[in-house]
Amino acid sequence: ASINHLRRLKLSDCAPMPNLKWISGMKHLDFFSFVETNVIDGDLSPLLTLPKLEYVATFDKRHYNYKCDKIRDLLTKKNIH
C-alpha cells in the first residue's frame, strides 16, 4: 500500500492474505486481480472503498462476503455516480 500511485495490480497463486485492509492507501488503483489467491477473512469490502477501482478479478470462495460479479456490479454503480 505504500506505492500509492499504483494503478494495476495482478496477484496469481500467491500465499493466502489475512485480509485486504492493506489496499486502503491505493487511491489510484483501477484494476486489481487476485486469482488463485485466498483472502482468509473473506471480507472483500475494502475493494469498495477505493475511489478509482473499476475492475476486480478473483475466484468466488464460500467464505467471501461478496461474489466477484456482485463486486463488479457495485463498482460499476459507484463509478456511474
Side-chain angles (χ1 to χ4, degrees), residues 47-79:
L47 298 169
L48 299 173
T49 67
L50 298 176
K52 295 191 177 186
L53 190 63
E54 295 177 0
Y55 182 82
V56 171
T58 187
F59 290 139
D60 293 334
K61 306 256 186 208
R62 276 188 183 166
H63 69 286
Y64 286 0
N65 60 347
Y66 292 100
K67 301 296 183 202
C68 191
D69 287 343
K70 182 64 175 176
I71 287 283
R72 288 183 191 155
D73 183 50
L74 292 170
L75 289 174
T76 300
K77 289 177 182 174
K78 178 185 80 162
N79 290 326

Side-chain angles (χ1 to χ4, degrees), residues 29-48:
L29 196 67
D30 62 16
F31 179 102
F32 183 39
S33 173
F34 54 105
V35 177
E36 293 290 338
T37 302
N38 186 27
V39 178
I40 294 171
D41 76 354
D43 182 13
L44 303 186
S45 62
L47 298 169
L48 299 173

